[in-house]
Structures are given as C-alpha cells and as structure tokens.
Amino acid sequence: MALHSTSEDTIFALSSAAGRAGVAVVRVYGAKAVDVVEALCRSHLKPRSAVLSKLVDPQTGGMIDKGLVLWFPGPASFTGEGLAEFQVHGGRAVVAALIDALGRFEGCRMAEPGEFALRAFENGKIDLSQAEGLADLIDAETEAQRVQAVRQAGGALSRLTELWRGRLIEAMGLVEAAIDFSDEADVADRAVDQAEARAGELKSEISRHLDDGHGGEILRDGLQVVFAGAPNVGKSSLLNAVARRDVAIVSSEAGTTRDVIEVKLDLEGLPVVVSDTAGLREASGDVEREGVRRTRARVQDADLVVWVLDASDIGAKEEAPQVGPNGELLLLVNKCDLDSGREVGGCPGAGVLRVSAKTGEGLGELIKSVAAVAGRKTGAGEDSVITRARHRQHLTDCCRYLASFLGRSSDVELRAEDLRLAADALGRISGRVDPEDVLDEVFARFCIGK
Ligand SMILES: Nc1nc2c(ncn2[C@@H]2O[C@H](COP(=O)(O)OP(=O)(O)OP(=O)(O)O)[C@@H](O)[C@H]2O)c(=O)[nH]1
Ligand SMILES: [Mg+2]
C-alpha cells in the first residue's frame, strides 16, 4: 500500500465480510461520495438518515438492488470525508454489480486494505495507537481481547501518553527558562530543580507501566503454551484432547510429530495458543532434526511450557527443560491410566499434574491450570495500556532519555535535548512524530473495508 492515501480519490470497499450473507455493507468515502449516492439513488438524500431506495446503474439504467442508503457529509464521519453507505442484499453478484458500477465513476477506485483507517489517521480523526486498537478489535477473538481493544481504540493509551507528553513539555519549558536566565544563577537553578522533580516523577510513572509483565501484549497475541517432552509421551493426544478435535496425528511410532502444530483456545475469555511439538531426542534425520530445533525455539519463547512425561516410563530423575526468562514450567504426567505409581523427581519448583489423554482424567485440571496462568500473566481485569512491542519500545526510549537528563549535572543545552528526545519518543506512540516509519506496518494489516 502507498504510505499516503491519495486523498483526491474517492475510495470504496465492501466493509462487511466477503461471501454470501443476508446483508452486505459497501462504503464510499471521499469528495465524490455525494455524486455517487445521488446518481445511484436518482434523488437528493437527507444527511444522516436511512432511506430505502432503488439503486440504479447510471450507465445501463438497470436496477442493481433495493437497499438502505445512508449519507453522512464530512467532516462528521470515520475518515472525516463524505461517506455513502449502501446496505444491500449480501449476494456475491449483487455486491459485484454495485462495486462494478462504483468503479465506473470518474475519480472513484477500490480502497486498499486499511485505507479508510489510514485516511481517518491522516485527517486527524484517530491517532496511530487508536488505529492499532481498531485493528485489534477486528481481530479480537476472546472477551478479554475485546475489552482491551475497545479501551485502546477509545484512546486509553493516547490519553495517557499525551498527558505525559504535556508534563514533559512543561519540564522542557523550565529548562528553557534556565537557559534564558543563565546569568541569574538562583532562578536558573530553581527552574532546573523543578524540571528534575517532574522528570523523575514521570520516569517512575512510565516505569511502573513498563513493569506490567507484558500482560497487554500476551493478551493481544494469546498466552503461548507449548507441549514438549520425549517422543511418544502423548503430546499430540493431549493437544487433540484439549482442542476437542483431531488436529495432530497420533501414533505409537516415536517421532510422529515433526512440525509445530498450533491450536487457539478461548479459556474463560482469555486467548491461549497451544503448540504441539516434535518429541525431543537425538534426531535420526534432517527433518526430525529441524523439528527438534523448532521445539527448542518454542520452549525458549513460551509463556508456559507443559513438560509431558509418560506415567508408565518415568525416570527416577527427570530432566526439566530450560525455559525462557519469562516462561513457567508445568510437569504433566500423562497416561496415568497406566500408572507406575512412581513420583517425578529432579524437577524442583514445577507443579505436577497427572492426566490421561486416553480416559480424559485430569484434563479439566490441566485446563484450569493453564487458564490460571493466562489470568495471572495477562493481569486480567487490570488496565494494561501497552499492547504492542512498538509501544514498549517508545516508552523504554522515553525512560532512557529521562534517565540521561537526570544523570547529567551540567550542560543545560544537552539536558534540554534529552527532554526533547523523550517527548519525541512519546509522540511516536500516537504517530504525532515520524509516523511514516510505521504506517505500512499498522495499516496494511487491516482487512479491506476498514
Ligand atoms: N494408555 C494411554 N496411551 C496414550 C495416552 N496418551 C497417548 N497415548 C498413546 O501413546 C502413543 C503416542 O501418542 P502421541 O500423542 O502420538 O505421542 P507424542 O508425544 O505426540 O509423540 P511424538 O509426536 O512422536 O513425539 C499413541 O499410541 C497414543 O495412543 C494415554 O493417556 N494413555
Ligand atoms: Mg506428536
């Protein structure tokens, strides 16, 4: 997608899902939207009211469909431009005929994915973090994700960063005053002291938000749970059992699973991604070796590693895997229907659960334990405002510049520059500063029609 929308063009797209449906919504944004709506309806429409109208192809004179039409003059629309909305019967041919007729208007073209939202951003209707929130809202699959996305689309992060930025600008004003009054030492010193106090408070406030255990990011991406262990212990059987469908191949042959297989689950409103992996052992060929490499990488990145053991084959001293810095470990003794009765030794600090993928025993407990980790790690119910690595990066940068400001005792010009850089880092979150770097990243991921 082009980094900037060509704002002279009037753009249109199917905003509802593609495919057969009861109703389809087609939206048209731009200067020509009014001409389009009047030509298709063959009448002058009252703004902001729904009108049932025949839609006639202006070129052929044939009727496309009859539907509800809404006309919103700018600037009170999502993008700030005129908006025509057509709600027609959701048949593929109806939508195709309407889209075809729209494309024949001079200066009208199909919108790129995310181009409506890009225009809303360019016209100052939403900022970058709100646009991210909208994308998350469209992608939200669980209740907790929806709540977080609504909060962000509503500007929770924007309001907070703008508040912080405002306080930073006040501190910058004080440092500027110190520069202006440098020949009056006590006035200058007092101004710098005040700026330091403000910067110090701000730094600890932002640090508190950064120290949130990545809850917002985990909620957005889903808690990453990895089933790992030796071959044949029943990892794939467990995945099928928790997913309640036959996702992975199960066999008595050791080394059945080679690739990582992921299943998304909704556990009490929290998103969880469970991955089944290749059994860890000395691999016997290139494919298995690659599988084992992928397992190890997943174990490193997981939020929760479920280390699966076979109840009929427990060693006296099982070796727990090395999990990543933020990962947790849960030991799962599977095949407890074949129980040897032996305890697991050698894995201090990890919880142990006994289950059977075959009989279903203990699976409820397993799901409860995973949901508990998800609840704890996402800080469910708390107001995480950082939902992406991008936000974390800019806030970390801001704290670094504030630390640099607080760490210098002289050179007030450099200290002023530290505060300016800190304010810029905050401005990047809302896209107020240097938005070009991330526009593609944010908007190209939207679906078409938003
Ligand atoms: N009795 C019993 N057998 C089980 C249980 N879970 C799995 N099995 C059997 O154990 C064998 C291996 O199961 P898989 O689920 O393929 O094991 P895996 O850990 O995915 O194996 P790899 O993919 O080779 O690493 C199959 O024959 C399963 O039917 C269980 O709870 N009880
Ligand atoms: Mg398997």
Side-chain angles (χ1 to χ4, degrees):
M1 181 173 61
L3 276 185
H4 291 285
S5 179
T6 331
S7 46
E8 308 86 70
D9 287 349
T10 290
I11 52 176
F12 57 87
L14 173 68
S15 282
S16 51
R20 187 171 164 268
V23 176
V25 176
V26 173
R27 292 186 145 193
V28 186
Y29 282 103
K32 293 273 170 62
V34 62
D35 304 338
V36 167
V37 80
E38 290 186 350
L40 287 179
C41 299
R42 299 216 272 202
S43 66
H44 182 72
L45 256 67
K46 211 169 116 198
R48 252 164 269 288
S49 46
V51 177
L52 183 64
S53 173
K54 281 182 186 167
L55 301 177
V56 176
D57 185 324
Q59 205 169 60
T60 65
M63 183 170 137
I64 299 169
D65 192 10
K66 192 172 174 185
L68 276 185
V69 184
L70 298 104
W71 159 240
F72 299 83
S77 75
F78 175 58
T79 69
E81 309 159 287
L83 158 65
E85 178 170 309
F86 299 96
Q87 299 181 8
V88 293
H89 294 100
R92 290 174 201 276
V94 177
V95 173
L98 180 55
I99 294 281
D100 182 54
L102 292 173
R104 279 186 267 111
F105 279 87
E106 177 79 22
C108 286
R109 65 167 169 84
M110 275 282 268
E112 301 281 347
E115 197 172 359
F116 293 165
L118 176 61
R119 283 204 177 169
F121 169 73
E122 287 178 342
N123 294 334
K125 286 279 176 177
I126 52 172
D127 75 13
L128 205 52
S129 71
Q130 286 177 297
E132 288 170 329
L134 284 176
D136 291 349
L137 195 54
I138 291 168
D139 290 337
E141 287 181 341
T142 75
E143 179 58 11
Q145 285 178 317
R146 179 191 67 76
V147 170
Q148 173 165 286
V150 163
R151 199 165 55 222
Q152 201 186 331
L157 178 61
S158 317
R159 278 192 294 280
L160 195 58
T161 48
E162 281 307 294
L163 217 70
W164 286 336
R165 204 165 160 275
R167 283 161 57 184
L168 249 171
I169 288 168
E170 277 172 30
M172 280 160 75
L174 288 163
V175 175
E176 297 296 337
I179 295 173
D180 292 344
F181 290 93
S182 51
D183 45 354
E184 291 176 50
D186 54 332
V187 177
D189 287 352
R190 214 170 31 246
V192 169
D193 286 350
Q194 285 176 2
E196 278 179 359
R198 284 173 197 216
E201 278 165 20
L202 200 58
K203 181 168 168 287
S204 40
E205 210 170 297
I206 298 175
S207 301
R208 261 202 314 280
H209 279 272
L210 282 167
D211 193 20
D212 63 354
H214 296 247
E217 290 129 296
I218 294 176
L219 186 53
R220 182 172 166 264
D221 300 334
L223 183 87
Q224 301 296 316
V225 178
V226 172
F227 286 176
N232 241 352
V233 293
K235 302 178 294 298
S236 302
S237 308
L238 286 164
L239 180 79
N240 292 346
V242 297
R244 296 187 196 178
R245 57 197 165 95
D246 233 357
V247 204
I249 301 173
V250 166
S251 99
S252 56
E253 229 173 85
T256 305
T257 306
R258 306 298 185 88
D259 248 333
V260 178
I261 302 168
E262 286 186 351
V263 171
K264 285 188 189 173
L265 302 177
D266 177 343
L267 300 187
E268 296 161 15
L270 298 170
V272 172
V273 183
V274 182
S275 304
D276 174 30
T277 60
L280 287 168
R281 66 171 175 185
E282 200 57 55
S284 61
D286 285 350
V287 178
E288 193 180 357
R289 210 170 352 266
E290 176 58 19
V292 168
R293 191 195 64 74
R294 290 181 187 199
T295 302
R296 292 194 198 286
R298 288 297 177 119
V299 164
Q300 268 301 306
D301 292 343
D303 299 310
L304 173 65
V305 176
V306 177
W307 186 252
V308 185
L309 302 165
D310 181 333
S312 64
D313 188 26
I314 291 182
K317 202 168 183 331
E318 288 287 346
E319 197 142 327
Q322 197 66 45
V323 298
N326 298 316
E328 292 189 22
L329 181 66
L330 174 68
L331 293 185
L332 195 68
V333 180
N334 185 35
K335 307 195 191 181
C336 67
D337 53 297
L338 308 173
D339 205 344
S340 68
R342 216 180 291 161
E343 292 293 318
V344 186
C347 300
V352 181
L353 274 182
R354 303 180 84 81
V355 299
S356 166
K358 188 173 174 184
T359 66
E361 193 185 334
L363 287 178
E365 282 301 307
L366 168 63
I367 293 195
K368 259 195 222 146
S369 302
V370 174
V373 175
R376 186 154 35 78
K377 288 213 173 233
T378 54
E382 280 180 31
D383 292 357
S384 265
V385 288
I386 303 170
T387 60
R388 299 183 183 229
R390 190 181 80 79
H391 309 154
R392 186 168 296 281
Q393 181 62 53
H394 296 322
L395 291 178
T396 307
D397 287 349
C398 177
C399 280
R400 210 183 55 241
Y401 293 123
L402 286 173
S404 166
F405 167 77
L406 292 166
R408 286 187 213 274
S409 53
S410 58
D411 204 337
V412 73
E413 306 271 351
L414 280 181
R415 300 188 84 185
E417 177 68 3
D418 285 332
L419 291 186
R420 200 184 56 71
L421 290 168
D424 279 359
L426 287 182
R428 285 196 177 90
I429 293 176
S430 58
R432 183 189 271 283
V433 176
D434 290 345
E436 278 74 13
D437 305 353
V438 286
L439 288 189
D440 233 11
E441 165 77 22
V442 172
F443 291 98
R445 285 168 186 232
F446 269 91
C447 53
I448 193 140
K450 187 68 200 171

